[in-house]
Amino acid sequence: MRIVRVVLAFTALLAFTVVRPPPGSSQNVEPIECEDGNVLTGSYADVLVNGSSCTLDGATVYGSVLVDGGTVTTTDNGASISAGVKVTSGGDITLTAVSVSGAISLEQSGSLVVDGNSTVAGISMKESGDLTIGTFASSGEVLVEKSGDVDVNGSVASILSKESGGIRLTDARVFPGGVTMALSSGALEICGTEIGVNSDTQTDGSGGVYVLEGGDVLAVADESCSPSEIQGAVIVKKGTGDVRFAGAALNSDLIVSEQVGHVEVDGSGCD
């Protein structure tokens, strides 16, 4: 039993070991607490933000950015963050030109904006505000629960939204996965977007659309919105809004059941 305790203690110690930069680096290798109004430009093991506002200006973070009750922004010089960003009870977070190898997580916090050639491994938001992913930004899986609207103009691997607001996909790409939206109070709007399709590499994923007990589901091409393409099945169930697909390329089945609203596909409709 004594050996077991030693092994467990050693494992726990490893879990909380400070991430160090590569050998030979002359930069600051210690964690830093970012005080209110600080602008960080160097290299750090971890950045701690406790109830303050912090700006990263071309900073390198070998570990995590941990925010407890504060806010973080980046300048156009961006930041490189190895382990991820975790925000608890924080304010609005705006990240421009960042590279985040780990996930970005917000819980009981404000909105999140990821913009300007940013690349992040994934995004998770719970009981938080709106999520915006800009035109040149990309993310892995996006998970949103009991939060605000999701607005995507860039690229994401997939989107899962539960008990949250609406989803707007404008000139976006969801690949290789698709969009799942459950118990939402808002609409799903698809404009000039590829879902489960990557036209740049001429490859197809499995992504489709699944909406359960949601609002409107709209993929309509007009003067302001170019046609969209969806690789996987589109399934809409038990909602209370209209379902309209006009000018969108559907490469699999469209199934609408127990929906209270008007259904229209390429000009042909029914109630």
Side-chain angles (χ1 to χ4, degrees), residues 133-250:
I133 299 177
T135 302
F136 300 107
S138 63
S139 172
E141 294 181 350
V142 173
L143 307 176
V144 179
E145 183 177 358
K146 296 181 179 178
S147 296
D149 295 335
V150 176
D151 197 337
V152 180
N153 300 98
S155 299
V156 298
S158 62
I159 300 174
L160 170 58
S161 175
K162 181 181 178 181
E163 298 181 71
S164 297
I167 299 177
R168 291 182 296 273
L169 307 173
T170 306
D171 297 326
R173 175 179 292 152
V174 183
F175 179 85
V179 178
T180 300
M181 188 175 179
L183 309 175
S184 173
S185 60
L188 171 59
E189 302 175 43
I190 305 169
C191 173
T193 292
E194 296 176 338
I195 299 177
V197 178
N198 189 333
S199 59
D200 292 341
T201 60
Q202 300 295 309
T203 54
D204 295 331
S206 58
V209 172
Y210 178 63
V211 179
L212 174 65
E213 295 187 35
D216 294 336
V217 180
L218 309 173
V220 181
D222 54 26
E223 296 81 2
S224 61
C225 184
S226 58
S228 299
E229 183 175 1
I230 303 172
Q231 177 64 23
V234 177
I235 301 174
V236 184
K237 296 179 64 177
K238 299 182 179 180
T240 57
D242 295 339
V243 178
R244 296 181 61 205
F245 286 85
L250 303 181

Side-chain angles (χ1 to χ4, degrees), residues 12-270:
L13 178 62
L14 286 179
F16 291 96
T17 299
V18 172
V19 179
R20 299 286 183 178
S25 173
S26 60
Q27 300 283 0
N28 180 5
V29 295
E30 298 300 325
I32 185 172
E33 183 168 347
C34 189
E35 297 181 356
D36 201 39
N38 279 174
V39 178
L40 303 183
T41 60
S43 297
Y44 310 93
D46 297 282
V47 173
L48 311 178
V49 183
N50 295 314
S52 60
S53 61
C54 182
T55 300
L56 305 180
D57 183 8
T60 298
V61 182
Y62 293 100
S64 301
V65 176
L66 304 174
V67 182
D68 186 1
T71 64
V72 172
T73 60
T74 61
T75 68
D76 290 340
N77 293 324
S80 175
I81 303 168
S82 295
V85 179
K86 183 176 181 179
V87 184
T88 305
S89 301
D92 296 337
I93 307 297
T94 302
L95 303 177
T96 301
V98 297
S99 173
V100 185
S101 299
I104 299 176
S105 171
L106 274 72
E107 186 167 350
Q108 295 181 337
S109 298
S111 64
L112 171 64
V113 176
V114 180
D115 206 353
N117 292 308
S118 293
T119 302
V120 303
I123 296 172
S124 173
M125 298 182 66
K126 185 176 182 179
E127 298 179 13
S128 297
D130 298 335
L131 168 63
T132 301
I133 299 177
T135 302
F136 300 107
S138 63
S139 172
E141 294 181 350
V142 173
L143 307 176
V144 179
E145 183 177 358
K146 296 181 179 178
S147 296
D149 295 335
V150 176
D151 197 337
V152 180
N153 300 98
S155 299
V156 298
S158 62
I159 300 174
L160 170 58
S161 175
K162 181 181 178 181
E163 298 181 71
S164 297
I167 299 177
R168 291 182 296 273
L169 307 173
T170 306
D171 297 326
R173 175 179 292 152
V174 183
F175 179 85
V179 178
T180 300
M181 188 175 179
L183 309 175
S184 173
S185 60
L188 171 59
E189 302 175 43
I190 305 169
C191 173
T193 292
E194 296 176 338
I195 299 177
V197 178
N198 189 333
S199 59
D200 292 341
T201 60
Q202 300 295 309
T203 54
D204 295 331
S206 58
V209 172
Y210 178 63
V211 179
L212 174 65
E213 295 187 35
D216 294 336
V217 180
L218 309 173
V220 181
D222 54 26
E223 296 81 2
S224 61
C225 184
S226 58
S228 299
E229 183 175 1
I230 303 172
Q231 177 64 23
V234 177
I235 301 174
V236 184
K237 296 179 64 177
K238 299 182 179 180
T240 57
D242 295 339
V243 178
R244 296 181 61 205
F245 286 85
L250 303 181
N251 297 329
S252 188
D253 296 332
L254 169 62
I255 301 172
V256 181
S257 62
E258 302 177 70
Q259 184 79 7
V260 179
H262 182 72
V263 179
E264 179 181 329
V265 180
D266 287 331
S268 298
C270 61

